[in-house]
Each structure stands twice: as structure tokens, then as C-alpha cells.
Amino acid sequence: MKNLLRLLILCIGIFIFSGCEIDHNEEIDPYYRFNNEDKTLLIKYNYTPNQIITYENQFNEKLNFRVISNITEKRGSYSNGTFSGGGGILGNYYDSKIVRLEIMENQGNSSSSGDYSKVNYVFSKNNNEFVNGLNFPMWNITLFYSINELQDNVNVFLSDFNEIQKTQISINNHLFKEVVVIDSESNESQNNFSFGPLLQNVNKIFYDYEFGIVQFNDIDGNEWKVIYPE
């Protein structure tokens, strides 16, 4: 009976020790969260899957953006695996927010390096550094880049505009209060199918820090303005 009791106590002790070890390991891996300053730079509009956001130009032509996902989550950052196939080592956890949409008139094909035909809003706190960017498939500057994960590709860095003065702009009777204008300073157009079948001819984006893209202009003089979803 005494031996059975000792064995039981030993098993309980091992279980408690193992649990402490797991907690300890979780504690020593840093977790970088969005702070209050970071949160002011996150999109506030609550995009919902399958929602359609419509942009219309002065000739009543429309482009429809369908929401794929809107995810805020805790992620792990890992080192590259070994040549022999071993997994990477966890470096830290970090907050991530990604809003992903597709332009219904611009259906493209994904690849191992990401799907550049999609519209991505990407916000990250990896390595304790806040970074934000967007991928806009009709942008006329060709850039292949991703933030942390290959599928989180961007071709415009919003971090360059976080600290500049924001302006107000009224579009289709809706007032946007945190707008910056992103100008490619190029009048060239591209035709890279990695970005989808639509021509890459947009050279100016009006980005609102509350909503996202509220207007974009192309080199042919079209001004595509959002119809704010009420």
C-alpha cells in the first residue's frame, strides 16, 4: 500500500513539474503585441467575408472587391529549416492583422510565392517592430515582397506614410478623416500576369487609415471611388 502511495505521489510530482516546464517555456518566448500607438494604424472598418466593396469611376464603370478574410491573430516567427528537412526554431510570437480581398474582375492564380492578384492589407509586430503594407494588383510599380509569410505579399509600404499629416476627403457623400495620397510618380503601365489579367496602370492611391483604399486613379484619367458600404 505504501509503495502504491509513493508511486502515486511520484506521478503527481512529475505531472506538476512537466506542466511548470511547459509554462516556463511559453514565458521565455517573447510575445510582441500591438500597443496603443500601433492600434491607431490598424484598419478599423470591420470587413466581413463575402462582403462586396464596389469602386466606381466617372463613367459609371465598376470594380467589385470581395472580402476573403479579416483575421487578427497571434503568430509564431520561426527560423528557416535545415537542408536536411528539420523544422525552424521559434524566435518569438507576434500580433498580426491581415485583411484579404479579391477583385472579382481580376481573377488570378496563386503560386508558391503568393497571390499578387489579391488585395492585402497587412499589419505585423514581428520582432517587436510594427510594419504595415498593402498589395494592390493594379499598381503600376512592379514589386514582389512579403511581410513575414509568403502569402502576405505587398507592393506598397504604408510604413512610409504612418507619420505624415493626414487629410480629410469626402467621397460619394462619406467623409474619410485619415487619408494619405500614395503616388507612384510614374505614368507607365505594366502587364505582368502575376498580378492578374487587369492592366497595372494605377499610379495614385488614396488610403484611409480607418477604412483602407477609398480611391485610386489610373494613368488614363479614371478616378475609381469607393461606394461606402452603409
Side-chain angles (χ1 to χ4, degrees):
M1 185 67 180
K2 290 183 179 180
N3 291 336
L4 181 61
L5 181 61
R6 289 174 182 171
L7 180 61
L8 180 61
I9 294 173
L10 179 61
C11 291
I12 293 174
I14 292 173
F15 177 78
I16 293 174
F17 178 76
S18 299
C20 292
E21 278 295 306
I22 293 173
D23 292 341
H24 177 69
N25 288 336
E26 289 183 351
E27 289 176 359
I28 64 174
D29 293 321
Y31 175 22
Y32 302 119
R33 297 172 172 84
F34 291 138
N35 59 34
N36 290 336
E37 182 179 355
D38 301 331
K39 290 177 181 178
T40 66
L41 303 173
L42 302 178
I43 282 179
K44 309 302 185 301
Y45 183 79
N46 185 27
Y47 288 94
T48 58
N50 295 316
Q51 179 184 15
I52 305 297
I53 310 296
T54 300
Y55 295 78
E56 184 176 20
N57 69 10
Q58 65 268 41
F59 305 109
N60 299 318
E61 298 171 321
K62 296 180 179 180
L63 289 172
N64 299 287
F65 292 40
R66 187 182 72 86
V67 180
I68 299 173
S69 58
N70 178 3
I71 299 174
T72 302
E73 63 182 345
K74 175 183 178 181
R75 279 183 167 183
S77 176
Y78 296 86
S79 63
N80 294 330
T82 64
F83 288 110
S84 60
I89 299 173
L90 176 66
N92 62 264
Y93 295 102
Y94 64 96
D95 278 346
S96 168
K97 178 178 177 66
I98 299 172
V99 182
R100 205 180 309 276
L101 308 92
E102 63 177 356
I103 303 175
M104 298 177 68
E105 297 79 7
N106 191 56
Q107 298 294 325
N109 297 316
S110 61
S111 67
S112 59
S113 59
D115 187 350
Y116 283 85
S117 72
K118 300 294 187 290
V119 176
N120 297 332
Y121 299 114
V122 182
F123 309 87
S124 168
K125 191 65 183 229
N126 194 12
N127 294 317
N128 205 27
E129 178 183 8
F130 182 84
V131 179
N132 52 337
L134 70 90
N135 187 75
F136 192 68
M138 297 168 64
W139 190 236
N140 72 335
I141 301 296
T142 300
L143 177 64
F144 296 93
Y145 192 84
S146 61
I147 296 177
N148 301 320
E149 303 286 346
L150 288 177
Q151 69 270 21
D152 304 332
N153 40 275
V154 299
N155 59 2
V156 176
F157 290 99
L158 295 171
S159 303
D160 298 335
F161 301 89
N162 290 345
E163 304 299 326
I164 71 171
Q165 182 69 34
K166 312 300 188 296
T167 61
Q168 296 187 2
I169 183 172
S170 180
I171 296 178
N172 290 324
N173 299 317
H174 186 91
L175 182 63
F176 298 96
K177 299 180 180 180
E178 296 287 329
V179 178
V180 295
V181 180
I182 304 169
D183 194 329
S184 74
E185 300 181 352
S186 170
N187 289 319
E188 301 294 327
S189 63
Q190 309 293 330
N191 190 19
N192 190 321
F193 192 71
S194 296
F195 294 89
L198 288 180
L199 194 66
Q200 294 95 58
N201 65 349
V202 169
N203 62 352
K204 187 174 291 187
I205 293 173
F206 296 76
Y207 178 85
D208 177 63
Y209 275 76
E210 297 283 325
F211 181 82
I213 296 171
V214 296
Q215 178 179 329
F216 52 93
N217 300 349
D218 64 38
I219 63 175
D220 296 320
N222 293 296
E223 297 181 353
W224 301 87
K225 300 183 179 182
V226 70
I227 299 174
Y228 188 81
E230 300 294 347

